[in-house]
Amino acid sequence: MSHTTVRPAQPAPTDAPTTQRAPAANAMSRIDPSPKGSRHAYADLWILLLITGWPPLSNSVVQFAGLCGLQDPRLWQIVTHGGVAAAAATFLWLCYLVIGRTPWNRRRPVRRLAIRSTAAITGATHLYTSFPAADDFPLWLVSVLRSATVAWLALEVCRSHGITPARLGICPPGARTPAGRLEAWHIGKGAVVACVMGGGAALVLLWGLRQIPLGLPVMRIPQTEAIGLTSAWDVPTAVLSTVVIEDLVIVAAVTVLATAARRSTREIYAIICCVEIVGHLYMGLPALGYLPYAWYRARLYLQHGRLTPLVAGHAFVDVVAMLAHGLPLVTRLVCGLALAAGYSSCDLLVNRYEARSQPTLSSVQTKAVR
């Protein structure tokens, strides 16, 4: 009768490579350093912020100066001339990046020519509409053209530093899986919470500071009038330009470019919060209420790296707020209760689906380990 001896398995050395990777601290850990260098990425970050955010940021600062009692027509001239210079820089930079990204290819010359021509036409139209004499264009068309140009430039700047749209958070890998859909729902819900927190805090500050007779710089007109909304038809274009500037540029592009430049997370939070407050200075001191709004949206993007649900949640809140602004108070309350009920129902269904999917995922993981 033969005996078979079984030798115990030798323990693996402590320095042996492992197949499992440690979980990342946040989603931005997948962003590699910029191939052009950290200084180049950091410089592009500020140039992108300056030329794409000049119209809304400068308008907001000048309106705040008016609330403080500084009424000087030369300030609006600076805003206008600066807008033309920013549009010219956008046109040149976009054409330069697109031409550099589309080298000569004998197999696809038509595609190359089409991309370059589209970039040149888009940038030139954006430049033309920035002149004060270009009043023959409809306002909605001007807003759509500017938003498209700004979005394209932001994507091209990120791409030039090795950051593709998927890494930026636009339909990344795994977004269409059940886990990806659940994550998108939670991100969109967080964006809604951030917008409600920021808007609610700003409205409370606005109401409270108006009651204090100290002559503080506080907006005295409706917010829709301050941002230039004249009818409900302006809401879609206003929301489009808002999400492009605030979500794509201020949150996403700033975060990924600062990460590619290897800047600290604290600096990313500081840049986003300061720029968001400056962009809402047309309200006066109540703009400080948007600090939690900016901080929480930056936190959501740093943790998950998903841009599309962040945009969806922000756009949803803005559309509802702008459309309900001109309605009577009772109608607004009824619409708010209906939206809250629908939101709670969707959240309950998603939580039930997530709870039912957890045992399945746990069993699959247990079998994989066995």
Side-chain angles (χ1 to χ4, degrees):
M1 184 174 183
S2 60
H3 298 278
T4 304
T5 59
V6 179
R7 297 181 180 180
Q10 297 294 329
T14 56
D15 57 347
T18 58
T19 56
Q20 296 181 351
R21 298 180 60 183
N26 54 50
M28 292 298 105
S29 59
R30 69 175 185 271
I31 303 296
D32 299 325
S34 173
K36 296 183 177 180
S38 59
R39 292 184 179 180
H40 197 160
Y42 197 59
D44 284 354
L45 182 156
W46 287 107
I47 295 173
L48 180 67
L49 266 181
L50 178 62
I51 66 176
T52 60
W54 174 265
L57 297 180
S58 60
N59 280 320
S60 181
V61 171
V62 172
Q63 290 182 11
F64 179 76
L67 294 176
C68 295
L70 182 58
Q71 301 286 348
D72 193 345
R74 292 176 294 181
L75 293 177
W76 289 108
Q77 294 179 1
I78 294 174
V79 171
T80 303
H81 297 325
V84 175
T90 301
F91 166 59
L92 295 176
W93 200 7
L94 179 62
C95 292
Y96 172 76
L97 292 175
V98 171
I99 291 173
R101 187 175 61 85
T102 55
W104 174 254
N105 189 348
R106 294 181 179 180
R107 296 182 178 180
R108 296 181 178 178
V110 177
R111 180 176 179 271
R112 168 178 171 269
L113 180 61
I115 295 176
R116 292 186 175 187
S117 301
T118 305
I121 294 172
T122 304
T125 307
H126 172 66
L127 176 59
Y128 176 76
T129 55
S130 65
F131 287 96
D135 295 333
D136 51 343
F137 278 83
L139 183 59
W140 66 269
L141 181 59
V142 172
S143 180
V144 170
L145 289 174
R146 290 180 179 178
S147 301
T149 308
V150 168
W152 195 353
L153 178 62
L155 294 176
E156 291 294 340
V157 172
C158 294
R159 191 190 294 270
S160 67
H161 292 279
I163 304 167
T164 61
R167 290 189 176 184
L168 192 64
I170 302 175
C171 297
R176 297 182 179 180
T177 61
R181 294 190 182 98
L182 288 174
E183 184 187 28
W185 168 258
H186 290 301
I187 296 171
K189 183 172 64 174
V192 171
V193 171
C195 294
V196 171
M197 284 194 307
L203 289 178
V204 170
L205 286 175
L206 185 65
W207 179 84
L209 294 176
R210 282 178 177 177
Q211 311 305 317
I212 302 176
L214 296 178
L216 298 175
V218 180
M219 180 180 63
R220 302 293 177 179
I221 59 176
Q223 188 177 7
T224 53
E225 183 179 347
I227 62 179
L229 290 182
T230 58
S231 65
W233 299 105
D234 298 333
V235 171
T237 56
V239 171
L240 176 63
S241 60
T242 299
V243 298
V244 166
I245 291 294
E246 295 191 10
D247 293 322
L248 177 58
V249 176
I250 296 179
V251 174
V254 166
T255 301
V256 296
L257 289 176
T259 304
R262 290 303 180 253
R263 313 301 294 190
S264 64
T265 306
R266 293 181 179 178
E267 184 174 356
I268 295 174
Y269 278 116
I271 294 173
I272 294 175
C273 292
C274 290
V275 174
E276 286 285 2
I277 291 176
V278 171
H280 292 87
L281 276 179
Y282 62 87
M283 301 181 66
L285 293 180
L288 296 175
Y290 283 93
L291 181 62
Y293 156 80
W295 177 84
Y296 193 54
R297 285 166 57 248
R299 181 173 178 267
L300 285 172
Y301 188 73
L302 281 168
Q303 285 186 343
H304 302 280
R306 299 281 298 274
L307 179 61
T308 309
L310 198 68
V311 169
H314 188 186
F316 171 75
V317 175
D318 279 0
V319 168
V320 172
M322 291 179 186
L323 289 178
H325 188 272
L327 298 177
L329 179 60
V330 177
T331 307
R332 280 186 285 176
L333 291 176
V334 172
C335 292
L337 292 175
L339 288 173
Y343 174 81
S344 301
S345 301
C346 292
D347 194 22
L348 181 62
L349 292 175
V350 170
N351 289 333
R352 286 183 178 179
Y353 172 75
E354 186 176 7
R356 281 184 294 180
S357 63
Q358 286 299 328
T360 305
L361 294 176
S362 301
S363 61
V364 170
Q365 293 176 356
T366 304
K367 292 180 180 179
V369 171
R370 292 179 179 176

